Amino acid sequence: MWYPLCPKTERPVGVDMEQVIGELILRVKFSSLTQICKMNSTGIGPFEVGQLTVLIIGVQNLSSSKPWSSFIKGCLVLPGQRELVQRTPVVKRSSSLEWAHQLLFSRVTAHELHDASLVLGLWEHAPFSVTDRLLGTATLHAGEGLSWQPLQQTPNVWHNVSLPLRANVNNRKP
């Protein structure tokens, strides 16, 4: 049998290649909405409350060619253990996973965003089963890939992001 060869894609340094099952392609922006006064550890100061918008473009270079129905579930973990959760609609059985769907995380301050983590999971949707299956996760946080600083310095501007999608060895319920 002959198999078509694909070009190699560059992977971020420090990522275990055996765990990477594909790439999650995103566009991210922080929209500054209003200013409020909020108590923090240094006293009272103005903070801009805004909205983090994550546009899920799709998944590329997926190691499995099996078509399935799937969705992306995103969890923005903010300081103080505050979590904001969003989910895309299910993409019906397709070999190319493309969403073009936005996840909107509202009431986020630029100060909170500095120490936030965004965890995105690719889930296989099981319409006639009780549980969906987690296929892989991608994480965006300060110090890895795109830091939050460009989003804060240039609000209302889209930033392109490609995150390694790491395989999940456990099946979990969403």
Side-chain angles (χ1 to χ4, degrees):
M1 290 191 106
W2 291 90
Y3 295 97
L5 296 177
C6 298
K8 278 188 168 182
T9 57
E10 292 185 25
R11 304 284 185 193
V13 178
V15 174
D16 183 4
M17 294 305 292
E18 291 183 18
Q19 293 181 346
V20 175
I21 61 169
E23 292 177 81
L24 188 58
I25 309 300
L26 319 166
R27 295 188 79 205
V28 184
K29 77 174 176 178
F30 178 70
S31 302
S32 178
L33 303 175
T34 60
Q35 277 199 348
I36 62 165
C37 286
K38 183 177 179 181
M39 182 66 84
N40 66 8
S41 60
T42 60
I44 297 177
F47 291 98
E48 291 193 18
V49 175
Q51 176 174 280
L52 179 67
T53 306
V54 179
L55 177 62
I56 308 291
I57 303 296
V59 177
Q60 291 182 345
N61 305 322
L62 200 58
S63 59
S64 172
S65 61
K66 171 189 145 192
W68 55 62
S69 297
S70 56
F71 62 93
I72 298 284
K73 181 178 175 183
C75 180
L76 181 64
V77 181
L78 300 167
Q81 302 302 319
R82 189 173 133 208
E83 294 183 356
L84 304 174
V85 179
Q86 293 286 316
R87 175 184 156 162
T88 68
V90 173
V91 172
K92 300 297 180 194
R93 297 196 180 272
S94 169
S95 57
S96 70
L97 298 176
E98 296 178 2
W99 278 272
H101 185 78
Q102 291 184 1
L103 303 178
L104 303 173
F105 300 98
S106 300
R107 297 183 345 197
V108 177
T109 67
H111 180 72
E112 289 175 317
L113 191 60
H114 182 67
D115 295 321
S117 292
L118 177 63
V119 180
L120 300 163
L122 173 63
W123 291 83
E124 179 180 10
H125 178 63
F128 301 110
S129 173
V130 179
T131 60
D132 294 325
R133 185 170 66 109
L134 180 63
L135 300 171
T137 58
T139 305
L140 176 64
H141 54 83
E144 183 177 301
L146 170 80
S147 70
W148 298 117
Q149 190 174 6
L151 297 174
Q152 296 167 326
Q153 291 175 345
T154 55
N156 303 315
V157 174
W158 288 103
H159 298 271
N160 296 322
V161 179
S162 174
L163 297 174
L165 192 59
R166 293 182 176 92
N168 182 49
V169 293
N170 301 322
N171 291 340
R172 296 186 352 213
K173 201 174 182 182

